[in-house]
Amino acid sequence: MSDTLKNEDKFGAVLFQVQEDLRQLKCSLENITINERGTTLDIQALDAAIGKTESSIRKHAEDYLKTVTKQLLVLPRIEDLEKNKQIPKWKPALESVPNARPQREDLPGPSSEEKHKSALTMRLLCNPAHPNNRAILHQKYGISIPNVHKRSTNTAKHHKIITGPVASLPAVEPKGRHSLAMPEEDMGTDTSLLHMSIQHKAASLHPREDAYSSKTGSKSRCHKQLKCETEPGSPCARIGSECTLLCTTKTPPPSTTSMSVEHKDMMQGSNDLIPKSSQNLPVHGPVNISKYPFTIIKGQINPMATDFCHFKQSFSLCWSSVVDALEALKKLLRDFAVPLAKVSGEILAEFGYGWDDGWRKAPVISLLSVLENWEEVSGLVLRPGQRYKGEGGIEAAAIHIQSSWRRYLARTAYLRRCRAKWAAGTIAISWLMYTQMCRVRRSLQARRFRQLENYRSRAQHLAANWKHIQSSKRTIIHIPSLGYSQSQRMNLRGFDILQNIQISRLCDIRDENVEVIYVCPRHLGDDILDYYTSLLKCDGATVEDDTGTAQATSVSVRRFIILTPEAVDYFPTRNMCLSTLLKYSPRTLKRIRNLIQGKQAYIVGGVAHVDDLAVADELGVPILAPEPAIVQLYSTKSGGRRIFAGAEVDVAPGQGDIYSLNQLHETLASLMTQNTDVQRWLFKMDSEHGGRGTAYCDACHLSCYNWALQECHRYGPELWNTEWIQESVMLRYLDEIPEWLARYAQPAKTSCYTNWACFVKTFLRQGGVVEAYPPSDSVTCLTVDLLLEPGGEVTMLSCGDQLHGSCQLEAIGSTVPQTSVHPETLQSICMRVGQACLQCLLVGYVSVDLATFMNRNTMEQKVWAIDLDLTYSDQLAMTQMLLMMTGGTLNCLTGCLEVPMPNKGKCCENQIAAKPPVVHRYAVLGSHLFHSNLSMLYHNVFFMVCKAHGIGFNMKVFGRTTFCEEARHCFCCLREQ
């Protein structure tokens, strides 16, 4: 107890002496005066006063430390000194210490256990790394030290954090943090090294010239500050009565929250000069007035400079973290040859904390944020080529050049390898696609070959049993498909209507043994179906029901059915031929198979297409048509001329298979020289139809034509056929033909080809024929429809004279029967053509076009074969309707249409009706009836309008008209002979 009281008396005496020294220092500072200008201070007097006070405080502190060890005491505030004059000397110290309790004299002294506990507590206080250090410091003295830095896991494995106690002055209230990192191997269980590194000593005051000597007007501001500190109640006046931790001798740096608004605005603008990768890092810009500024000149620091020494002493506890950032900053300034850099010590210290915590991975350019003149320095650092002016610039430039060159070589090699890899991948993919394409092509070829083999086997069976099939019940599947090429199909307007023109094929049911399945390329309305149903029963034909009772044909009992493939809705704009649509319509195919199951059936198509074989193979029925490849060979204009040449019939002078312009000119010159009486020449494309691919040019426009006629008359017909006489005329023709064609040649249908240039381009691409137009003012064309039976017989089904409209080269209808050629002559020509077709493996329906005229020289009738169509013609379909409506017969051998007379009275039931008499009639058949407003009427309205005007079929009159197609209407008109 006596020792404790003795120590307390000594502590009170020391405190009193310190208070006296601080009071004297305050008085000395007040006595210092400013010179006349008020710009300088008496530095020697200030140094003397501060030195004296420092020596006195150090002496008293050393005297006390000799007797009191390992005990932290807190000095009272200077401002509280006046209030505590009546208190004993040792009581202020005890009252200023948090949780300190004064010892009562009558209480016994501390025991040995309490002394051991006190010693352990002091040891923990001296070990900042201990987890209980902060709690004991807060419990004993009321000092709360925050956990500023949490070291990363990797750092924690090698270092321990020693945080020294902080002495805070209420007036200044610094929020800086100090940390001291020591290697783990330097720290052990023994704390003697820690006691040696952190020594308790009296606080020292630095010379005044270390404060703000680098700023303009700093001395005047120091004078004002010192003057303020001497005033009662000022922050500096409380130093005399403030208690501080003896182990802390350095003032911490201010935190970033003390920066002014002006500094924040400045830092906001500096973000634009810092790379984006470093803008996310905490950047501390310079403050307006730094407490610890120092200067770096050309990347070097003068270690003896006052400002640097002041900064180093102030942050000695955390110098290990500051020195790394400082060295990095110095290296950056040397590398970029920065002549002058002003560093803010506080920001550098705080940056050093983050530098230890992981900012080493951040860009080094972020170090510029600790500079006060960071704008000038960043502008210099970011200047291109500045790096090569600093320390190691030549080596850096060489390294950069070498790395750029190596990068170029590596990039070139990489791109070369990428191109090779891409090429290899492209070749591999192309090869895979090629092999897959070949596999698919082989598969398709095998399938089509199998379909062709099946077609041939079924065709042989059809040829062997044709007579039996014709005399027995059979089902005819009509597929009026137009198997043109894709380019032709896409250029045709209303392609579905064109395929449906031959809907009159339904009239095949006039044979009682025939049932018709008609595949329609479009959906028909109920009014159209009702019309055809009533039309096909108006002749009083009967059918037999299941019981064998004869009944009149009704809507429910009929021998025809109209089916529309479901693929019509899938491809509305593709202009696919009907066979292709049916091929992709499995439900329709299944229904057809069910309808023909167990029956004799065959297909009658239109223009042949390869998908006809696929449909026939799916249905398992033969086709009454040649192979598509044979049709493609002989259905052209050039192929027709070969057939006619084989049949030895007269053809128009001309030549086929023309594919070049020179060949066209030479052929035309030769033909014109040999046939000087021909005044018009025709140019026909091989693959076109219906006058679409026809052009003409008149020979009268040639300037040498009259001269050629004179030469022909001069030499006579016999000598004119010699080549040496014709040579001069042919050369003259050859010179004038190109210009003659370019100026005067015209397409027959300008809606398809507007001029000769467009026409001749397609003509030469597809190939074509040059042919003479009959040299007469009166030319009649006629069409004959033949059936080339599989058994080898040729049958004439229809013949009629063509009707022409505005275009003389396009037929819009015909008159049946024909009256232009003698029936025997026509029979002879048709039989020869039919036999030639059979020799070329052509079977089915064939249409032959002939032209007849009177020869001017001999006044004899001549007949030329001009065209051959290997398809079911529109005239034949209309003839079937004609015979269905009239109940008559067409005899092509005699050229007569025999129609039975209608009965005017009713016969008795028991009276056997005599065979009605027949009369000869002529019919006008039209496949094209067009009106601009016809599409605006509903079909039922159109039929009612026709009925109101007396247009319709009537058995009681000889004049009758029938419509048989719903949009582009065909008509059949019967008139008396």
Side-chain angles (χ1 to χ4, degrees), residues 3-242:
D3 294 336
T4 304
L5 295 176
K6 190 177 298 182
N7 291 335
E8 291 178 354
D9 293 339
K10 291 181 179 180
F11 179 74
V14 171
L15 292 178
F16 182 77
Q17 292 297 330
V18 171
Q19 293 171 0
E20 290 296 331
D21 293 338
L22 293 176
R23 186 181 299 107
Q24 292 179 5
L25 174 61
K26 181 178 180 180
C27 296
S28 300
L29 294 176
E30 291 178 354
N31 293 330
I32 298 175
T33 57
I34 305 176
N35 61 356
E36 297 178 357
R37 297 181 181 179
T39 57
T40 59
L41 297 174
D42 191 354
I43 303 303
Q44 295 181 355
L46 181 61
D47 289 341
I50 293 175
K52 181 179 179 180
T53 304
E54 183 179 4
S55 300
S56 177
I57 292 175
R58 184 184 297 109
K59 181 176 180 301
H60 294 308
E62 290 176 354
D63 293 340
Y64 179 73
L65 290 175
K66 291 178 181 180
T67 57
V68 182
T69 59
K70 297 182 181 180
Q71 184 176 358
L72 298 178
L73 300 178
V74 181
L75 296 178
R77 299 182 180 181
I78 299 178
E79 61 185 4
D80 297 337
L81 185 61
E82 298 296 335
K83 301 180 182 179
N84 299 329
K85 287 184 179 181
Q86 305 298 329
I87 303 176
K89 297 181 180 180
W90 55 275
K91 287 184 178 180
L94 293 178
E95 293 175 356
S96 61
V97 178
N99 301 327
R101 295 178 296 176
Q103 302 272 347
R104 293 177 56 183
E105 295 180 1
D106 54 348
L107 295 178
S111 61
S112 60
E113 182 179 355
E114 294 177 354
K115 291 182 179 179
H116 177 71
K117 185 177 181 180
S118 176
L120 181 60
T121 303
M122 293 303 298
R123 177 173 293 182
L124 295 178
L125 287 174
C126 294
N127 185 10
H130 197 276
N132 296 331
N133 177 269
R134 300 175 184 275
I136 295 175
L137 190 62
H138 178 70
Q139 180 181 1
K140 288 289 186 180
Y141 308 107
I143 300 176
S144 299
I145 300 180
N147 189 9
V148 180
H149 302 290
K150 294 182 180 180
R151 304 300 298 257
S152 60
T153 305
N154 297 333
T155 308
K157 292 180 181 180
H158 304 285
H159 296 83
K160 290 184 178 179
I161 305 302
I162 301 177
T163 304
V166 180
S168 59
L169 296 179
V172 181
E173 297 182 358
K175 297 182 181 180
R177 294 157 297 205
H178 306 284
S179 63
L180 181 60
M182 299 181 62
E184 186 176 0
E185 58 270 10
D186 295 342
M187 299 180 63
T189 57
D190 188 7
T191 59
S192 60
L193 180 60
L194 181 63
H195 297 324
M196 295 175 61
S197 60
I198 303 177
Q199 297 293 337
H200 299 282
K201 62 179 181 179
S204 60
L205 297 178
H206 299 282
R208 190 60 190 168
E209 59 268 19
D210 297 346
Y212 307 103
S213 59
S214 62
K215 298 290 182 179
T216 305
S218 60
K219 294 185 179 181
S220 61
R221 287 194 298 271
C222 290
H223 174 73
K224 292 180 182 181
Q225 182 178 359
L226 293 175
K227 183 177 181 179
C228 178
E229 291 174 351
T230 57
E231 296 177 358
S234 63
C236 296
R238 293 195 295 268
I239 298 178
S241 61
E242 181 73 13

Side-chain angles (χ1 to χ4, degrees), residues 512 626 797 942:
E512 296 180 355
L797 300 179
F942 172 73

Side-chain angles (χ1 to χ4, degrees), residues 707-957:
W707 171 79
L709 290 178
Q710 293 175 2
E711 291 292 317
C712 180
H713 291 305
R714 185 165 64 91
Y715 288 103
E718 296 180 357
L719 295 177
W720 181 251
N721 293 328
T722 57
E723 294 183 359
W724 64 273
I725 295 177
Q726 295 179 355
E727 185 176 0
S728 60
V729 178
M730 187 176 66
L731 292 176
R732 183 79 176 270
Y733 275 144
L734 194 60
D735 292 338
E736 297 185 8
I737 278 176
E739 184 179 357
W740 170 64
L741 290 176
R743 294 184 60 183
Y744 299 104
Q746 297 180 4
K749 298 184 69 173
T750 56
S751 60
C752 302
Y753 303 96
T754 56
N755 51 39
W756 168 254
C758 298
F759 178 87
V760 74
K761 182 178 180 181
T762 309
F763 177 87
L764 297 177
R765 184 174 64 250
Q766 296 182 1
V769 171
V770 176
E771 199 171 78
Y773 187 80
S776 176
D777 296 334
S778 177
V779 179
T780 302
C781 297
L782 62 152
T783 302
V784 181
D785 293 298
L786 306 176
L787 173 60
L788 307 180
E789 298 180 0
E793 296 182 2
V794 180
T795 304
M796 294 179 60
L797 300 179
S798 175
C799 58
D801 295 328
Q802 294 182 2
L803 298 177
H804 299 277
S806 59
C807 179
Q808 295 296 325
L809 301 177
E810 181 184 11
I812 62 173
S814 61
T815 60
V816 178
Q818 64 85 25
T819 58
S820 302
V821 181
H822 193 275
E824 294 180 358
T825 304
L826 184 63
Q827 174 76 11
S828 175
I829 294 174
C830 292
M831 290 301 107
R832 282 182 290 173
V833 172
Q835 292 300 326
C837 291
L838 289 173
Q839 292 177 4
C840 296
L841 303 179
L842 295 174
V843 295
Y845 295 95
V846 176
S847 177
V848 181
D849 291 342
L850 305 173
T852 178
F853 61 96
M854 298 300 293
N855 191 350
R856 294 177 181 177
N857 298 327
T858 61
M859 298 304 294
E860 295 180 356
Q861 184 183 22
K862 298 192 66 174
V863 180
W864 287 351
I866 58 176
D867 198 4
L868 178 66
D869 292 329
L870 305 179
T871 183
Y872 198 103
S873 68
D874 297 342
Q875 176 180 286
L876 179 58
M878 295 299 299
T879 303
Q880 296 294 333
M881 172 169 280
L882 171 65
L883 301 178
M884 176 77 178
M885 296 298 100
T886 60
T889 58
L890 178 62
N891 191 348
C892 296
L893 296 178
T894 60
C896 297
L897 175 61
E898 299 176 353
V899 179
M901 293 288 293
N903 294 328
K904 298 183 178 179
K906 296 183 179 179
C907 298
C908 299
E909 296 180 359
N910 298 329
Q911 182 182 1
I912 300 175
K915 185 177 180 180
V918 296
V919 293
H920 296 277
R921 295 288 182 263
Y922 290 95
V924 179
L925 308 177
S927 59
H928 295 79
L929 176 63
F930 177 79
H931 194 279
S932 59
N933 294 329
L934 192 60
S935 60
M936 301 176 61
L937 293 177
Y938 289 101
H939 298 116
N940 54 355
V941 177
F942 172 73
F943 296 144
M944 293 174 62
V945 172
C946 292
K947 185 177 180 180
H949 288 77
I951 302 175
F953 184 80
N954 189 348
M955 289 294 297
K956 297 181 180 181
V957 297

